Amino acid sequence: MNDRAGRVACVVLVLAAPVVRAQERATVTAGQLPAPFAIRLDGVLSEPEWSAAAVIPDLPQQSPHPLGDTPYRTEVRILSDARNLYFGVTGFDPEPGRIAVHTMIRDGDMVGDDSVAIVLDPFGDRRTGYLFRVNASGARLDGLIAGPEDLSLDWDGIWDARTARTSDGWTAEIVIPARSLRFPSRATRWGLNVERFVPRDRTTLRWSGTTLDSRLEDVSRAGSLEGIEDLSQGDGWTVSPYGLGRFRSSRTSDSHSLSGTAGGDVSYNFTPQLFGVLTVKTDFAETEVDTRQIQLTRFPLFFPEKRTFFVEGSNLFRFGLGLNDQFIPFYSRRVGLFQGEAVPLDAGIKVLGRAGPWGIAALDVETGSGGPPRTNLFAGRITYDVDAHLRLGAIATRGDPDGVHDNSLGGLDAVWRTSTFAGDKNLSIGLWGAGTHHDPRGGRSSGWGMKIDYPNDLWDVALRYNDFGEALDPALGFLPRPGTRQYDLYVAYQPRPQRGLLAWVRQFFFEVEPVVVTDLHGQTESWRVFTAPFNVRTQSGEHLEANWAPQYERLSAPFEIARGVVIPVGTYRFDRIRLELQSSDHRPLRVGSTVWLGRFFDGTLTQLQAFANWTSASGRINVGVDAENDFGRLPGGRFIQRLWQVKTVYAFTTELIASVYGQYDSDSRQVGLNARLRWTLTPGRDLFLVWNRNWKHPVSEGALSVSPLSDEIVAKIRWTFRR
């Protein structure tokens, strides 16, 4: 990190520090369960043990009218024993027939569902934590919190929940085993928050953090949970073996194969806060396939990580503030994937957790044959909490997935956050610097950046600057535009009309975001100004938006945007217009459409996107259709890019789910089918049946015939033992 970056960090931290004010926290003490496993998990709070629970008698309204009256009284009961935390929630509803659910699957889309959520901050660091959400059908969603705007929903913890409908609302019973969490031994206080969402009038009720500027994921605004001193993580051993059988068939080479394998994970808690995982013969056959994307830029596409081994603890590897996919020093999808093909993972070890103010994350993996040569890949991250607001960190990686070249990265970052700026506002300031060492290459192999973020309800403002050297090359990371300086300013004014002619509006979002990218000599490579002169969310949840986005691009090399269609070297200035309409998320049938129109480089491009999603009243059946059709007319030729997706889910129960996901894109001209049956016998013990099939579509536009390419059928069982 250079001197200039250091001076900037010091200035912004000194300026921000005087405005921090103390914030009182709501507190509840968990009741003690007389004996383990006395609660029968059925969603009905009928056991006499619930009478010993701590009670939060009601959740105040957080949105749209903080602390205002609502008809949705919500009672929360909390119990604890040596092994588990129990939550019993009673959600009263004056119109229980209007309770909405759209899914019964694990980690399904719950944005339009009646649901309750629990946030836990076991370390008490007021930065990181766990999110657990349950909708009225008993479907579960969970995630890892790395910051107030950084939530990963790809983590799957071992916990359970059941719900029941009543004549005056619905109830939920939730059990969270202590062994599924990391926390200091004999800790007397955890961070806790509880939220209920009623989608039909978009009302949020929350125990702590009830201002419009508060986010549920912001654990600095959470309350305190006491009475959890006796929670134990047991002996600290967890063993998760698996076995699978796989049948593969290739229609192009007329080959067939039948194979079987076994492997698994073994984890051990070195301390209650720090644990290690050893994985052998890691397999990801049950992981849902990636959602395909249309490529209309000259830069790499970003795909999120979904593989279980890499997702757990991924929040501890987060680097910098708000870098998103502009720069990720450690991008775990580089491990086990090379040039789009899976590479066997023979073994790996991971250490995650905390030691007092220190945060620790390390991963070392040995990749096998089948692609590039055998290689060892390492990533490590360490953080130190200076105080309640300032966190310092370092990151390092070593190895190149190609197994041939040497590559290493080192980086430092600092993030300062508060939720009490000017009283009760959010403010974050981040600074980072990183460099790589690899085979000789000309240019600067370092970079740095900073961000100042003021994410609040009425005003949302962010200023970001990043500088990436032309030889900055993170082989285990993601950096789509090296050799650039990037300037980004985002300003949104978001008023909430209360009455009069605009009473139908819940909130306006007037946005402007200019982005400028230059090379390292200061010459502009591209700029774009995204504006939202009209962007509104209605009281009933509909979304209406119109955008204008002027853009500039300078191409120093030809760019093939589609097969046989090349945009030549030159400078281009063009305007794009966007129109978007979406129905409310709480409705059984949800529809939406987005249209991009206007000039595109030296031609025109029309992008039509539409979706429809229907859910049965119980949430048992869900059918979704997404379609994108892009029509380009350029001097170099015309092109049509299509991406069609259909997903159907049938839930026999929340533990037995069948899904079929089909995709077609005109670039690869392939139809892909992913059919999956997941049966969760008990949390942590699953049976998967997966069928993947691919077809090839002919080149001619409009032809409906397809020819089969390949089949794969996998049966996998995974069983978790804890002690």
Side-chain angles (χ1 to χ4, degrees), residues 527-531 547-553 572-578 595-607:
W527 60 256
R528 182 174 186 258
V529 182
F530 177 85
T531 65
N547 307 114
W548 174 53
Q551 190 169 341
Y552 168 88
E553 295 289 340
Y572 302 87
R573 162 72 174 84
F574 51 93
D575 292 352
R576 305 284 292 154
I577 296 174
R578 175 177 180 256
V595 180
W596 277 101
L597 305 164
R599 302 289 299 173
F600 186 72
F601 289 90
D602 53 353
T604 63
L605 175 66
T606 301
Q607 298 170 270

Side-chain angles (χ1 to χ4, degrees), residues 14-332:
V14 169
L15 289 176
V19 299
V20 178
R21 296 178 175 87
Q23 188 178 43
E24 293 185 4
R25 307 182 80 179
T27 301
V28 64
T29 301
Q32 298 304 305
L33 195 63
F37 306 111
I39 299 295
R40 181 183 176 214
L41 208 66
D42 56 7
V44 181
L45 280 65
S46 57
E47 293 86 356
E49 286 80 6
W50 282 115
S51 62
V55 179
I56 300 174
D58 199 9
L59 300 181
Q61 182 179 176
Q62 183 267 334
S63 176
H65 306 295
L67 304 181
D69 294 332
T70 79
Y72 310 113
R73 188 170 74 84
T74 309
E75 181 182 274
V76 181
R77 296 178 176 269
I78 308 173
L79 283 169
S80 174
D81 59 26
R83 299 182 180 180
N84 305 294
L85 269 176
Y86 300 88
F87 293 86
V89 182
T90 302
F92 295 94
D93 194 313
E95 299 177 274
R98 298 184 65 190
I99 290 173
V101 294
H102 294 86
T103 184
M104 290 179 65
I105 68 173
R106 180 73 181 264
D107 292 331
D109 182 1
M110 297 186 186
V111 294
D113 293 11
D114 280 82
S115 63
V116 294
I118 295 166
V119 164
L120 294 175
D121 171 19
F123 291 118
D125 62 7
R126 308 187 74 171
R127 291 182 176 87
T128 59
Y130 300 86
L131 170 73
F132 305 89
R133 187 176 290 274
V134 180
N135 72 2
S137 69
R140 290 169 288 149
L141 176 150
D142 47 16
L144 299 175
I145 297 170
E149 295 183 282
D150 195 347
L151 170 65
S152 169
L153 296 178
D154 295 314
W155 173 74
D156 278 346
I158 296 178
W159 60 291
D160 209 352
R162 295 290 186 276
T163 59
R165 299 289 186 94
T166 67
S167 60
D168 53 5
W170 63 289
T171 57
E173 286 184 315
I174 303 168
V175 57
I176 303 175
R179 294 177 183 178
S180 295
L181 307 173
R182 308 298 166 192
F183 55 90
S185 178
R186 307 294 295 179
T188 60
R189 176 178 294 190
W190 291 4
L192 168 71
N193 216 342
V194 185
E195 178 183 273
R196 177 185 175 191
F197 181 59
V198 183
R200 64 179 179 270
D201 57 7
R202 302 178 60 241
T203 296
T204 300
L205 313 164
R206 191 179 300 157
W207 181 49
S208 182
T210 55
T211 70
L212 291 173
D213 297 317
S214 303
R215 291 180 170 85
L216 178 64
E217 296 83 7
D218 184 358
V219 295
S220 70
R221 296 180 183 267
S224 293
L225 173 64
E226 299 179 348
I228 36 79
E229 296 89 346
D230 294 333
L231 280 172
S232 170
Q233 294 177 335
D235 293 338
W237 288 99
T238 300
V239 181
S240 299
Y242 79 85
L244 69 80
R246 177 183 279 114
F247 170 78
R248 282 177 171 160
S249 173
S250 172
R251 302 302 178 93
T252 56
S253 60
D254 196 28
S255 62
H256 308 276
S257 65
L258 181 64
S259 61
T261 187
D265 302 338
V266 178
S267 66
Y268 177 70
N269 296 339
F270 304 111
T271 73
Q273 301 180 73
L274 185 67
F275 75 104
V277 181
L278 172 66
T279 184
V280 179
K281 297 292 183 183
T282 313
D283 183 89
F284 308 108
E286 76 279 12
T287 303
E288 186 176 281
V289 296
D290 286 324
T291 299
R292 299 183 190 181
Q293 303 178 41
I294 289 180
Q295 173 64 291
L296 291 174
T297 76
R298 57 194 188 276
F299 309 111
L301 295 173
F302 175 81
F303 291 89
E305 178 63 86
K306 296 181 179 181
R307 297 170 296 173
T308 303
F309 176 74
F310 295 105
V311 166
E312 185 176 11
S314 59
N315 58 332
L316 297 177
F317 282 98
R318 292 287 196 277
F319 180 81
L321 174 66
L323 280 168
N324 302 323
D325 56 2
Q326 287 187 320
F327 175 47
I328 305 174
F330 174 54
Y331 180 43
S332 59

Side-chain angles (χ1 to χ4, degrees), residues 246-579:
R246 177 183 279 114
F247 170 78
R248 282 177 171 160
S249 173
S250 172
R251 302 302 178 93
T252 56
S253 60
D254 196 28
S255 62
H256 308 276
S257 65
L258 181 64
S259 61
T261 187
D265 302 338
V266 178
S267 66
Y268 177 70
N269 296 339
F270 304 111
T271 73
Q273 301 180 73
L274 185 67
F275 75 104
V277 181
L278 172 66
T279 184
V280 179
K281 297 292 183 183
T282 313
D283 183 89
F284 308 108
E286 76 279 12
T287 303
E288 186 176 281
V289 296
D290 286 324
T291 299
R292 299 183 190 181
Q293 303 178 41
I294 289 180
Q295 173 64 291
L296 291 174
T297 76
R298 57 194 188 276
F299 309 111
L301 295 173
F302 175 81
F303 291 89
E305 178 63 86
K306 296 181 179 181
R307 297 170 296 173
T308 303
F309 176 74
F310 295 105
V311 166
E312 185 176 11
S314 59
N315 58 332
L316 297 177
F317 282 98
R318 292 287 196 277
F319 180 81
L321 174 66
L323 280 168
N324 302 323
D325 56 2
Q326 287 187 320
F327 175 47
I328 305 174
F330 174 54
Y331 180 43
S332 59
R333 285 180 62 96
R334 300 290 189 216
V335 182
L337 292 170
F338 183 71
Q339 297 180 347
E341 298 296 327
V343 177
L345 298 184
D346 288 345
I349 189 168
K350 182 166 59 175
V351 177
L352 302 167
R354 298 188 64 83
W358 296 92
I360 301 167
L363 171 73
D364 192 271
V365 172
E366 189 79 14
T367 63
S369 58
R374 181 181 298 274
T375 187
N376 181 268
L377 305 173
F378 168 82
R381 168 90 164 134
I382 189 167
T383 62
Y384 180 77
D385 294 340
V386 177
D387 56 26
H389 303 285
L390 178 60
R391 169 170 286 180
L392 305 178
I395 194 168
T397 68
R398 189 198 68 245
D400 192 315
D402 68 7
V404 176
H405 298 92
D406 293 325
N407 188 282
S408 60
L409 173 144
L412 301 173
D413 68 324
V415 176
W416 183 91
R417 283 193 174 102
T418 183
S419 59
T420 56
F421 177 76
D424 64 348
K425 303 300 181 185
N426 303 302
L427 178 67
S428 300
I429 300 168
L431 183 68
W432 68 270
T436 56
H437 179 75
H438 43 76
D439 292 341
R441 182 181 304 177
R444 176 165 57 87
S445 59
S446 63
W448 76 278
M450 63 170 295
K451 182 179 182 182
I452 302 174
D453 195 10
Y454 180 81
N456 293 285
D457 185 69
L458 182 59
W459 286 96
D460 188 349
V461 182
L463 174 64
R464 178 168 54 189
Y465 170 78
N466 289 311
D467 180 306
F468 304 111
E470 63 270 47
L472 181 62
D473 179 24
L476 287 182
F478 184 80
L479 177 60
R481 298 192 70 170
T484 61
R485 295 190 177 105
Q486 303 179 15
Y487 308 81
D488 187 344
L489 172 65
Y490 175 79
V491 179
Y493 176 59
Q494 304 167 153
R496 295 173 178 259
Q498 299 296 320
R499 58 184 65 88
L501 295 176
L502 297 177
W504 58 277
V505 174
R506 172 63 62 88
Q507 191 169 16
F508 282 110
F509 303 87
F510 301 108
E511 301 167 281
V512 60
E513 183 177 15
V515 178
V516 178
V517 180
T518 74
D519 62 21
L520 299 182
H521 302 289
Q523 185 174 7
T524 300
E525 287 194 353
S526 59
W527 60 256
R528 182 174 186 258
V529 182
F530 177 85
T531 65
F534 182 79
N535 185 358
V536 63
R537 179 77 70 171
T538 69
Q539 295 287 2
S540 57
E542 276 67 35
H543 178 212
L544 314 171
E545 184 172 354
N547 307 114
W548 174 53
Q551 190 169 341
Y552 168 88
E553 295 289 340
R554 178 175 62 86
L555 298 184
S556 57
F559 166 41
E560 186 178 28
I561 192 169
R563 190 176 291 108
V565 181
V566 177
I567 302 175
V569 171
T571 60
Y572 302 87
R573 162 72 174 84
F574 51 93
D575 292 352
R576 305 284 292 154
I577 296 174
R578 175 177 180 256
L579 302 173

